[in-house]
Amino acid sequence: MARKTPFGQQMREKHFGFAPSYTPLNHGSFGASPLIVQQKQRELQKLETERPDSFIVYDLPDLIEESRRAVAPFLGVPAEEVVFVPNATTGINTVLRNLEYKEKDVIVHFSTIYDSCEMTIASIAEMAPLTASSVLVEYPIEDDMIVKRFRYRVLELIDEGFNVKIALFDTTLTFPGVRVPWEDLVKVCKEFGVLSLIDGAHGIGDIDLTHVGAVGPDFFVSNCHKWLYNPRGCAVFHVPLRNQPLIRTTIPTSYRFQPKKENEAAEQPPKSHFIELFDFVATMDHSPYCCVPAAIDFRKSICGGEEAIRRYTWGLARLGGKSVSQILGTEVMANSTGSLTKCSFTTVGLPIALKAEGEAVGKGCYSVKDALKIKAWLNKTALKEFDTYLQVGLHAGTLWVRLSGQIYLESKDFDWVGYKLKELCLRLEGGKVEL
Amino acid sequence: TGSFGTFPKAISDLRRAYLDECEKSPDPFIRYELGKIMDQNRKAVANLMGAPVETVVFVPNATTGVNTVLRNIEWNEDGQDEILYFNTIYGACGKAVAYVCEYSRDSVQAREINLTYPLPESMILATFRDTIKASRAAGKVPRIAIFDTISSLPGIRMPFEALTKICQEEGVLSLVDGAHGIGHIPISFQTFQPDFFVSNVHKWLYVPRGCAVFYVPVKNQHLIRTSIPTSHGFVPKKGLGSPNPLPNSGKGEFVENFEFNGTIDNTNYLVVGESIRWRQEACGGEKVINDYCINLAHEGGKLVAEILGTNILDNEEHTLTQCCLVNVLLPVSTQPYENFQVVEEEKKGLVTPWLEQTLISDYKTFIAIYSFQGQWWARLSAQIYLDKSDFEWAGHTLKALCERAGKGDVSSFAGTN
């Protein structure tokens, strides 16, 4: 039996195509896929190029079905309840734009909502009677506090005569990079008859989601091109059978849409044609959808399976985060139960003093208004001088850095970035930096 | 080529190079390089179109472009708005219209313009004007009309420039579906000024799928509030929400709105300029390509029709065939016409799928077969990698196939899936 490539530097050199001088500590934003899977994608693209018409018309549906069958067990749901869309943003848009809204309808979300989702709601609200209600959450915070605030808000809204139609929340937040008690939030939704839309952009391949079917959210979307090592763009969109009639159209609408008028004229009621609807929407490169089995196979045979991967990446994030925080003299974003860090992210505070608006700013201090400029400077400088991208963000008045544990990294990479960050922050403190 | 397009090796190599660069360091490439390179490519295609660069963005395909326009229009609450469309509208666009009407609970409705081919161009224009009149006579407001540059099935050229002028005169928004457009026929936006225009560049411009150009003149950009899907670039009316996390480009709201619409692999957007350059250097330029293809479609179509003993779809002035697609009547019918193969009435639904599948399985080619106005047609696309001998081969192949159809092969066809 071939010896398994160990995680860390060797895995990186053998299986990933990163530039040698680049330190990839931000897997969370755009993911990465191993060379073997990229090769598979190339083969599929070649097939499509050699015989485009026959590939698209005859081969593609079978390949997509194979992918659906491979990924469904990751969510613990039947394959009939799973289709692919290009990315989580499209999945969220698909749900929110399919629903019909009437006066007094409200969508509840948290203040940490991903900004594209917030924009989607704002866009819809321009033409439909939908109101957004944002629940303020500042980290670190305990899980039960999040759930409590959510429940109170729902009760408040009902009291005020609103119809809480749907709630949108994450499995793992984008920023800070922390785990969300989404299962308990779904329970609250069910208690009050609120539709639950889960933005699992950070989900499949990072956290165990085999209980999604059991928990039973109303709609669930997760990017395969983030943590599942699949090529961009591919996301799994799960809609339980009971809700499939609510998803009348893909986004964009295409030729497989069945207008109600046609259905009414037909003799028999239409069968759910959810799968067919999403099988081909419009011309695009479908090869990412077809790579899912190869990505899953890589994780199983080369990496030793999901649990093995998780153990390493979560463990590395935990250790690495601690190390960086010690080097910087700051803290890792964590709560008392340790629930926030049950993922491959670690979010560490940056030692940059930010004064509130209006407060006096001395040398080496900055106003919170400068936070974006500081972030941009850190991004640019780290890239130029150290060839790494730092996912820096402002949360609750402090700057943090979000780092991603991965199988192609080792603790030395985190130590390294800790010292580089320290250097950069000292320069900022020195006040000679041009923002 | 008409269905999905194709592209030369030089282009796929460049695309692969960008993809590799992206994999070497994803964040820097996607956050900092992608936008810049995309702008260069936007400029290249805008130049080709004779349009200002600030009016041109990329979307994944024409279907997305059409959906983007239809979903952004604010329909009047009085329920009188109408969308005008032709009976030859592309299937997906027809469904997008149907969806918008359904979702609006019929407060906006669709009005179909029915044309029977072949017909003179003047008749197309007159019927269009009459439809606008009829809409108003019925107390409705024709807000927007959607029509093709070249329709899909049948593959024929529409008088889209004249239709656009009528729209301008009548105060109707024009949404031109140029899915078969750029790289296929000469279009200049100096003279042609639609309100909205989409064109696939993965069809006739040799760009890897899927990539389309979405053109909106500056005066209309305020009408397109959101991309589909909505993403970081959306600017809410009330000024709420957090700032766009991607670096500010100062390119204007419309362009920024469409710069990033969810993570996909859009390295194919980055080879549009190279493709235009290749067509210039390796082929001699757009005019040479267009002339070759249109001529080949004419001659090749004529040849196929001769072999089959039928005709091509055309009008007397030959305006319908001013494109690289040609539609040849197949000698198959449910009626006993002279020199036509007969298939049973009950089996007529199997003819198209049987023909298409058998072409692939037995003859290793794909030809678009469709039924239109009660007859069966084959749509062929002329391309620079084809010549008359390919059409001759197609003619003989189709002849043999039609004979098999007549002998009963269709009757025993079980179909797939």
Side-chain angles (χ1 to χ4, degrees), chain B residues 124-188:
Chain B
I124 298 178
L125 301 176
T127 311
F128 185 61
R129 272 197 202 279
D130 287 346
T131 307
I132 295 174
K133 282 201 186 81
S135 167
R136 291 186 172 138
K140 302 286 183 181
V141 179
R143 289 286 301 279
I144 187 168
I146 163 171
F147 47 90
D148 294 295
T149 44
I150 293 168
S151 66
S152 226
L153 298 170
I156 51 160
R157 195 194 197 285
M158 293 285 273
F160 61 91
E161 299 98 328
L163 288 168
T164 302
K165 284 220 170 65
I166 295 175
C167 284
Q168 273 165 0
E169 287 160 20
E170 297 285 345
V172 177
L173 288 170
S174 47
L175 166 54
V176 183
D177 178 0
H180 292 280
I182 295 186
H184 185 144
I185 47 172
I187 307 181
S188 168

Side-chain angles (χ1 to χ4, degrees), chain A residues 353-375:
Chain A
L354 288 179
K355 298 284 187 196
E357 270 190 66
E359 276 185 43
V361 170
K363 181 179 175 216
C365 277
Y366 297 88
S367 163
V368 72
K369 285 191 289 131
D370 294 323
L372 276 181
K373 289 204 192 118
I374 295 172
K375 168 188 152 65

Side-chain angles (χ1 to χ4, degrees), chain A residues 244-306:
Chain A
Q244 290 180 6
L246 292 173
I247 305 298
R248 303 260 312 116
T249 180
T250 49
I251 299 288
T253 302
S254 191
Y255 69 94
R256 292 186 186 191
F257 168 66
Q258 284 176 355
K260 274 194 187 132
K261 291 196 171 134
E262 278 177 27
N263 291 342
E264 280 154 19
E267 281 170 4
Q268 291 173 334
K271 290 196 298 207
S272 170
H273 79 130
F274 182 65
I275 303 297
E276 237 176 63
L277 191 59
F278 283 84
D279 243 3
F280 187 92
V281 178
T283 298
M284 56 180 252
D285 177 5
H286 290 92
S287 65
Y289 293 2
C290 307
C291 288
V292 172
I296 292 174
D297 185 64
F298 171 84
R299 298 165 69 83
K300 189 149 162 244
S301 26
I302 309 280
C303 304
E306 296 303 311

Side-chain angles (χ1 to χ4, degrees), chain A residues 19 26 29 42 58 87 93 97 99-100 114-115 126-127 232 248 253-255 257 260 283 389, chain B residues 16 23-24 27 31-32 61 67 71 95 102-103 105 225 230-232 234 263 357 360 366:
Chain A
N26 187 35
S29 282
R42 226 168 295 192
Y58 297 114
N87 43 60
N93 271 260
R97 290 178 182 283
L99 294 178
E100 292 181 33
Y114 185 59
D115 98 307
E126 282 183 5
M127 287 212 230
R232 285 161 223 119
R248 303 260 312 116
T253 302
S254 191
Y255 69 94
F257 168 66
K260 274 194 187 132
T283 298
Y389 180 83
Chain B
R16 166 68 20 204
E23 292 312 310
K24 287 198 184 121
D27 278 283
R31 290 170 192 272
Y32 302 119
N61 42 61
N67 270 259
R71 282 167 180 278
K95 291 296 178 77
E102 184 182 300
Y103 192 79
R105 308 226 183 120
R225 298 273 309 125
T230 308
S231 188
H232 302 296
F234 178 76
T263 298
Q357 259 205 36
I360 291 182
F366 182 89

Side-chain angles (χ1 to χ4, degrees), chain B residues 179-294:
Chain B
H180 292 280
I182 295 186
H184 185 144
I185 47 172
I187 307 181
S188 168
F189 285 74
Q190 310 273 341
T191 46
F192 167 57
Q193 309 204 313
D195 290 296
F196 309 100
F197 175 89
V198 293
S199 182
N200 284 322
V201 291
H202 61 243
K203 278 191 193 293
W204 298 88
L205 203 68
Y206 303 153
V207 172
R209 33 200 102 84
C211 178
V213 143
F214 179 37
Y215 161 88
V216 181
V218 173
K219 71 177 199 285
N220 288 338
Q221 288 180 2
H222 68 284
L223 293 173
I224 304 298
R225 298 273 309 125
T226 180
S227 53
I228 296 293
T230 308
S231 188
H232 302 296
F234 178 76
V235 179
K237 275 183 185 158
K238 293 180 191 153
L240 42 76
S242 24
N244 187 336
L246 299 171
N248 186 292
S249 41
K251 298 173 196 173
E253 231 175 86
F254 176 66
V255 173
E256 275 178 33
N257 217 350
F258 285 86
E259 199 163 46
F260 186 90
N261 293 155
T263 298
I264 56 172
D265 169 15
N266 49 9
T267 48
N268 57 330
Y269 293 8
L270 310 182
V271 302
V272 174
E274 185 59 25
S275 194
I276 294 171
R277 204 166 16 244
W278 186 84
R279 288 162 70 86
Q280 185 64 42
E281 286 164 14
C283 308
E286 296 301 316
K287 186 164 187 327
V288 171
I289 295 173
N290 292 160
D291 286 349
Y292 178 84
C293 293
I294 293 178

